[in-house]
Amino acid sequence: MTLQDQSAPADGGADVVAQLARAEGDETLARFAEAYLRRSAGIDGRGATPEALLAEARGALALADGRDGVAAAVRAFTPTVADHGYDAAGSVLETATDDLPFLVDSIVAELQSRGLSVVRSVHPIVGVRRDARGRIAAIESPRDAPRESVMHFDLDRRLSPEELADLEDAARHVLATVRAVVGDFTGMNAGLDHLAELARAGADRLGSPEDAEEAVAFLRWAGDDHFVFLGYREDEADGDGRLRAVPGTGLGLLREEREAGELRAPAHDPPAVGEAADDEVLTITKTHALSPVHRREPMNALIARRFDADGRVTGEARLLGLFTTRAYNEPASTTPLLRRKLRQILDAEELIDGSHDSKAAIALFDGYPKGELFAAPVEDLRGQIAGLLSLHPDEVRLLGRRARDGRGASLVASLPRERYSEGLRDRLRAMVALAYDVEHVEVDEVFGEDDRVQLHLTVRSSGGLPDVDVAELERRLVLAARTWSDRVEALLVGHHGTERGRMLAARWTRRLPESYRAAVAPQIAAADVERFEALATGRTGFLVGLQDERGVAGDEVTRRTRVAFYRRGPKVELSQATPMLEHLGLRVIEEVPARLQHSDDELWVQAFGVLGEGDEPLKLADVADRVAESLEAVWSGEAESDVLNRLVITAALRWPQVQVLRAYRRYRQRIGSRYTESFQDQVVAGNAAITAKQIRLFELRFANDERAGDDEAYKSLADEIRADLDAVELLDHDRILRNQLGLIEATVRTNVFRSDRDAMAFKLRSADVPGMVQPAPLFEIYVYAADMEGIHLRGGRIARGGIRWSDRMDYRTEVFGLMRAQMTK
């Protein structure tokens, strides 16, 4: 295998590429390739060949070699094999400059600000020896020769020629700015001393030597690797009291003049959140401008002012920069200036050192973003911390502070940890962004040891922020932070009052399993809780509830009816439950059972998703009570389960009315019928409108209320039913329905409407019963219940003996034979 056939291995790729360079007789390129690929070969996932990597290294070396004395060389291009010896999925940005801090992160920040992602980067530091002409003579160890930085960034997409040109210009500006900031480090560091002098003078004017000591301690702390210096300038007041830059004092980002090609400093004061207060020895605030160096975020400004004998401002000095990671990691309670603010808060609240409240206050203080602690007045911080200390465990609060100049605001939300989620955080961020009309909201999360979470939110706008009702924001947060259990409790309180609703929620929601909570909406759960309470306090061990239920299938919102069985003891088996539902004309889609936890009794809720006629959900306002009562009656054995139960929905009948129809159908079978029971059921259920009228006719004749005794209404309804029967097309259906009407008209008396009955009894004039076998008895009494039936036949007005029990299905025939024998005698 030749070198040309190899792909760069995971390890040792630099050596392979260097060998190719040495084979060409180019030792400088070989040494550069070794340095360039030392840390990139192992992470190069493109499958690039050694030749392609050598071409890439050759191009980067050429860029560095051709700097020709300029501070930085930059090129942005889209590589091709023909022009560059390799290609890439996206465009490339390359730079070459002296080694300086902040190069990589400053360039990456610029790329990200343009919406560009870096898919691969190479940024070696190499030792470079140059000849008198400034060309590279040798590549050596960076420990032994002047260090230079080469950066190569593979981007996620290909850029147009215009975008490439703009990116080159921007990268040159960033590198020039980094060079200016780093080059002026010594001068900016010395600027700390001038700030300290102004702070001491200001403290003398205010008569606060302790403030001067804290300010000086803070400035020393900032200079001890806690602050990245980015710019310094001194200003003096003119005759109109306006501050003007003092020539020759600008450093870093605030230089008045720069080398050719470098960004010019702004001619005005950098915009800052708030102005320095008259009673502050040293002001720490934030700019609205983002730092072009290191991290692309608002910069911090340290400001000290100079006053004359009359207290007028005659000048100031300001230092721009960024707090380092080390500064953010140190507790605020030990940071100069901030520790003094904390002490003032503890003293004002009269908190005893070492007490629980004192420790809690310090923990809250340390959780605040340092920028907010520096910017906020002590009284604002005191009010917020005092408010947070007084929260009860389940309370949700949102407190806010607006900057003095109206261009910034900060809020702190405190929530119980069980209510907190990433989704809630994002909703709160969106609410704040909308309220303040900003696109970006900074959010810091602090998880306390007391099972609470503090969210610190900061918004800024150089054009000013609108007035915002923080109390209204808090109200919306409280609603958004409600847990599933909270929403169930709120519904129960709405139904039952505060005390009863909270008691029901406390008793039952904790017993519902997590899978149930994730799947069931609060309004449905509240209805379930009410059924569980009824189950626990009542005598029955089985209840039914119906609710509307929405779901999501793909991109569509689905609707169905939820029929829930509530059971004390083992759950209802599917072989029992499914026929009960299907006999009501329902199509069962799914079953979702849940067993309650932490309960002395075995309690189940079995939720069945069902659809009614036309695969539509049921109209629960019309049918829910009837369906629930029917299912409970079937389960208890008071009613049978067959297709006649469809009339509960289609004919708006209650289960006792269906039992009347079932009794007539069963009696009809006893006197003899050419039709099976199931066929008769299908016909009666399939003609729901006629059947409903027949039940109304039965009630007009026998009900012991206002429905009975209206002969005109009875005759009119009977005629209407006969007219409907004339329109029935199928002869068998007509015969079955007319027989049912005949049975009703042949009935003389019934106990159906007595509340104290155990079974239904119907006294019929046998000769009027359609299809009666002759000789017909004078009267007969048919008795029916779900678990028994019987009949008494009388050939005359005086009754004679009979049989008590028969195991024959045609027991009426047996009794009829005995009656005929008695009549013959």
Side-chain angles (χ1 to χ4, degrees), residues 7-18 33-50 53 56 120-123:
S7 291
D11 296 309
D15 294 337
V16 174
V17 175
E34 289 174 339
Y36 182 83
L37 298 171
R38 181 175 294 116
R39 288 181 175 81
S40 67
I43 60 171
D44 179 37
R46 301 171 301 160
T49 64
L53 291 174
E56 180 182 305
R120 171 178 171 265
S121 64
V122 185
H123 42 84

Side-chain angles (χ1 to χ4, degrees), residues 531 545-549 559-562 616-629 648-649 652-654:
R531 294 301 198 289
L546 285 82
Q547 300 93 24
D548 285 317
E549 188 175 53
R559 292 182 59 246
R560 64 184 60 167
T561 298
R562 179 182 187 260
E616 291 292 326
L618 299 179
K619 296 180 180 179
L620 296 187
D622 298 331
V623 306
D625 291 342
R626 297 198 305 273
V627 170
E629 291 170 358
V648 169
I649 296 175
L653 300 183
R654 294 194 174 273

Side-chain angles (χ1 to χ4, degrees), residues 226-279:
H226 291 99
F227 198 72
V228 176
F229 302 143
L230 297 178
Y232 175 82
R233 192 180 70 199
E234 297 174 17
D235 295 336
E236 60 183 3
D238 60 16
D240 297 327
R242 296 177 57 86
L243 292 174
R244 303 290 185 183
V246 177
T249 61
L251 299 172
L253 295 180
L254 299 180
R255 280 186 184 180
E256 297 86 358
E257 297 179 359
R258 303 236 184 134
E259 299 173 12
E262 293 186 352
L263 290 173
R264 294 187 58 81
H268 53 78
D269 292 341
V273 178
E275 299 295 333
D278 289 342
D279 59 351

